[in-house]
Amino acid sequence: MRVLPRGRLNYGMQLPIQSQSTLYAESWEAAAGPAELLAVARAADRLGFAYLAVCDHVAIPRRLAAAMGTVWYDPVATLGWLAAATERVLLLSHVAVAALRHPLLTAKQYATLDHLSGGRLILGVGAGHVREEFEALGVDFARRGALLDETVDALKAALGPEEFPDFHGERFAFSGLGQAPRPVRTPRPPLWVGGSSPAAVRRAAVRGDGWLPQGDPRDRLPGQIARLRALREEAGIEEPAEIGAITEPLYVGEPGRDVGRRTLTGEPERLAESLRAYAAMGVDQIQVRFRCRDHIELTDQMAAFAADVAPHLGDQG
C-alpha cells in the first residue's frame, strides 16, 4: 500500500517545537509555541513537502528529562489541529508508541483524524523505549515487541473496510463492535513501522507498508534495506515497502556560522547530489531537518530547499 509518488525521492519533515529532545531541537524552540508550529506546518503544505511528522511520548521520567525534555505534544491532538490548517500535506505519527494503548482506542483516534483530514493519515508505530511510561500505564515493558506485533495486526483489522471488524489475538479480541467514522483511505490508512533493531526491521518487513529507520547512518542503510526486502519476499509479500531515511541536518547555502560538522551545507546542486545517494540505496522518502535560529529562518530554508534543491533530486526511474 503505497501513498507517495513513485519514481522520485520524496521529502518530508518532523515538525519542530512539538518534541524537544536535546539530540535535535534548536535552542529557539523552547520559547516557541502554537503560532510558530502553525507557520512551519503551513509552509510545508505550501512548499510541497510530502508529510509532517509528530512524535509520541506520554511522560518522561526524571532520569531522562535532561536529555529528552518533557515537551512532547500529543500526536493526535497536534495533527488534528494542523489538519484543519493545511490542505494537501500528509500527516504522520513518527512514531506512535502503539503498544501503550488498546488498538480500538488507537483506531478510533486515528480513523477520526483520517476522516477529518480527507484521508491524509499515515500511521507510524514503534515499540517505545521508556520503561517508566509502560510501567505507569500498566503495560509490560519486557513484552512490548510481541505486544506491538499483535497491536499492529489488530489495527489493520480495526482500520480496515469493515465497520464491525473481527480480531482474535492473545491479548486483544473484538467482534461485533462498530466504529465510525471510518477512514477515508481504503482499504485502510498506510501503516509504517519505525525502528532499526532486527526485530523492528522484521516487523516493518512482514507487517508494515513502510519502514521508518531511526537514524541509521548511510553505510548501514543498504544492508538494512536488503534484509527488509529479503524478509518481505520470504513472507510472500509482493507490494514493495515504502522505505525512509533520516538525513543529516541541512543548510541550503553558506550558513556563515558553525552549524555542526555533520550538517550538509552548500549550493543546491551539491546538496541534491548528496541526497540522491539515498535514492540509489532504494530509499523512497527522506526526512529532512534544517539548522536554523528561529522559525523564520526555518521556513526560509524550507523554501530554498523546495525551490532550489528538490528539482535536482530528479526522477528515479
Side-chain angles (χ1 to χ4, degrees):
M1 179 184 304
R2 299 176 67 96
V3 292
L4 300 177
R6 296 173 185 259
R8 58 176 291 189
L9 184 61
N10 297 275
Y11 55 93
M13 67 180 293
Q14 184 185 130
L15 286 168
I17 303 163
Q18 53 80 33
S19 69
Q20 296 190 23
S21 168
T22 59
L23 292 176
Y24 49 74
E26 301 280 4
S27 59
W28 63 270
E29 296 179 47
E36 292 84 358
L37 185 65
L38 185 61
V40 175
R42 283 177 166 160
D45 190 51
R46 182 176 67 252
L47 294 168
F49 282 67
Y51 64 77
L52 301 173
V54 175
C55 298
D56 180 27
H57 277 292
V58 173
I60 306 301
R62 287 187 185 277
R63 69 178 179 88
L64 297 175
M68 292 181 64
T70 58
V71 177
W72 295 83
Y73 287 30
D74 178 78
V76 178
T78 306
L79 291 174
W81 178 61
L82 294 174
T86 55
E87 296 180 354
R88 48 148 299 277
V89 70
L90 297 173
L91 307 167
L92 169 64
S93 58
H94 188 180
V95 289
V97 186
L100 289 175
R101 305 166 180 91
H102 193 287
L104 280 180
L105 174 60
T106 298
K108 168 58 73 174
Q109 294 173 316
Y110 283 100
T112 302
L113 173 57
D114 191 69
H115 180 81
L116 292 174
S117 67
R120 290 192 277 145
L121 169 69
I122 303 173
L123 178 55
V125 300
H129 66 95
V130 179
R131 178 183 296 273
E132 290 90 337
E133 276 186 310
F134 283 78
E135 292 173 346
L137 297 173
V139 182
D140 188 349
F141 179 77
R143 295 193 67 248
R144 67 193 185 282
L147 182 56
L148 178 57
D149 286 343
E150 185 173 324
T151 299
V152 169
D153 294 342
L155 283 170
K156 286 183 176 181
L159 291 169
E162 298 300 325
E163 184 179 351
F164 293 85
D166 285 298
F167 180 79
H168 302 277
E170 179 182 333
R171 180 182 176 107
F172 305 115
F174 45 85
S175 179
L177 295 171
Q179 286 190 331
R182 305 303 301 157
V184 172
R185 194 180 295 275
T186 57
R188 58 172 173 78
L191 197 152
W192 292 357
V193 175
S196 296
S197 70
V201 173
R202 174 175 288 278
R203 185 176 298 116
V206 303
R207 285 182 161 87
D209 303 308
W211 177 46
L212 296 163
Q214 295 300 102
D216 293 71
R218 291 194 188 207
D219 60 356
R220 190 166 180 245
L221 270 174
Q224 293 275 69
I225 293 170
R227 180 171 179 269
L228 182 143
R229 287 175 171 168
L231 288 167
R232 202 165 177 87
E233 182 178 358
E234 187 180 300
I237 303 172
E238 296 183 359
E239 181 74 15
E242 292 192 286
I243 295 171
I246 300 175
T247 73
E248 301 84 352
L250 304 175
Y251 192 93
V252 183
E254 298 301 330
R257 67 180 193 280
D258 182 16
V259 291
R261 63 182 180 83
R262 290 187 64 250
T263 302
L264 299 179
T265 67
E267 294 301 312
E269 294 88 346
R270 176 175 176 271
L271 294 182
E273 180 181 8
S274 179
L275 295 175
R276 285 197 300 268
Y278 284 104
M281 298 176 197
V283 169
D284 298 294
Q285 62 89 6
I286 51 174
Q287 185 170 123
V288 295
R289 177 176 287 273
F290 301 95
R291 297 305 312 271
C292 52
R293 290 164 290 191
D294 54 36
H295 83 280
I296 299 297
E297 186 176 22
L298 173 54
T299 54
D300 286 348
Q301 279 288 299
M302 292 165 64
F305 183 91
D308 301 327
V309 178
H312 296 289
L313 296 178
D315 292 334
Q316 306 304 318

